[in-house]
């Protein structure tokens, strides 16, 4: 392709301080082909839902994702989970019955012992015709260095 134009836009409407609705669209327009992606969703402090639909030169896709979290022990721990289901058809397949699916689940727990450090464990499962069962476990440790330095300033080492 010689070049392309891109368009992106979105809207987020707050129904109150905790609940919002959102919609977005992005498109890539080339000389001979166009591609676009539309998302519509809702979110709250402990959960969200999105519907998405894509079309264009790479193929077609539509599906939904939903997720949620549950804070525990004054937000020191958080349980979370996500479900994602999509159906897609690659660009070279013309028949609607040639659609494939992808189903994934993620669940885990975050632990925040301080404002500086948090850690977590996450399990992910992906399932479709290619990956009949693909699962993985992720362990993470995060250090917020800007908070660490902020807490460490004023330690009595002032310049005179």
């Amino acid at each position: 392709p010689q070049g392309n134009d891109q368009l992106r836009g979105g809207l987020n409407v707050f129904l109150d301080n905790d609940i919002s609705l959102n919609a977005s669209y992005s498109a890539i327009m080339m000389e001979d082909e166009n591609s676009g992606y539309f998302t519509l969703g809702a979110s709250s402090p402990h959960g969200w839902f999105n519907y998405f639909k894509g079309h264009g030169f790479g193929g077609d896709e539509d599906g939904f994702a939903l997720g949620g979290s549950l804070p525990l022990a004054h937000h020191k721990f958080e349980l979370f989970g996500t479900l994602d289901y999509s159906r897609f058809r690659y660009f070279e397949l013309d028949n609607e019955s040639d659609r494939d699916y992808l189903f994934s689940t993620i669940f885990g727990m975050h632990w925040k012992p301080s404002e500086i450090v948090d850690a977590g464990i996450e399990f992910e499962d992906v399932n479709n015709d290619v990956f009949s069962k693909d699962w993985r476990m992720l362990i993470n440790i995060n250090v917020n260095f800007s908070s660490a330095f902020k807490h460490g300033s004023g330690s009595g080492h002032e310049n005179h």
Side-chain angles (χ1 to χ4, degrees):
Q2 296 288 327
N4 65 59
D5 294 317
Q6 297 183 16
L7 171 70
R8 289 186 211 171
L11 177 67
N12 200 0
V13 177
F14 289 89
L15 301 178
D16 64 23
N17 287 339
D18 292 334
I19 299 173
S20 67
L21 303 176
N22 60 71
S24 65
Y25 184 76
S26 61
I28 299 174
M29 297 154 287
M30 298 187 180
E31 283 184 30
D32 299 332
E33 304 176 276
N34 294 328
S35 182
Y37 199 79
F38 173 73
T39 304
L40 185 64
S43 63
S44 71
H46 301 297
W48 53 268
F49 174 83
N50 282 329
Y51 166 77
F52 50 88
K53 178 140 183 89
H55 62 86
F57 45 83
D60 296 324
E61 176 186 24
D62 63 305
F64 69 90
L66 62 99
S69 64
L70 177 64
L72 302 168
H74 303 290
H75 296 273
K76 292 285 185 191
F77 293 92
E78 179 184 37
L79 300 176
F80 64 90
T82 302
L83 299 172
D84 188 327
Y85 177 82
S86 61
R87 289 177 17 106
F88 58 91
R89 180 180 56 84
Y90 293 114
F91 66 92
E92 69 269 1
L93 303 175
D94 291 329
N95 189 347
E96 183 68 22
S97 65
D98 288 334
R99 286 183 160 296
D100 200 355
Y101 73 95
L102 177 68
F103 180 70
S104 69
T105 55
I106 299 172
F107 64 93
M109 182 181 73
H110 289 274
W111 174 48
K112 189 166 183 148
S114 72
E115 290 189 29
I116 298 170
V117 176
D118 69 72
I121 187 166
E122 178 177 308
F123 298 94
E124 181 177 352
D125 176 43
V126 177
N127 192 344
N128 70 6
D129 288 341
V130 177
F131 305 107
S132 62
K133 271 293 189 198
D134 176 23
W135 76 272
R136 56 196 76 171
M137 179 179 70
L138 304 161
I139 298 173
N140 63 54
I141 298 173
N142 300 303
V143 178
N144 185 340
F145 288 106
S146 64
S147 289
F149 292 133
K150 200 182 314 179
H151 289 297
S153 64
S155 58
H157 299 354
E158 294 81 20
N159 292 332
H160 295 282

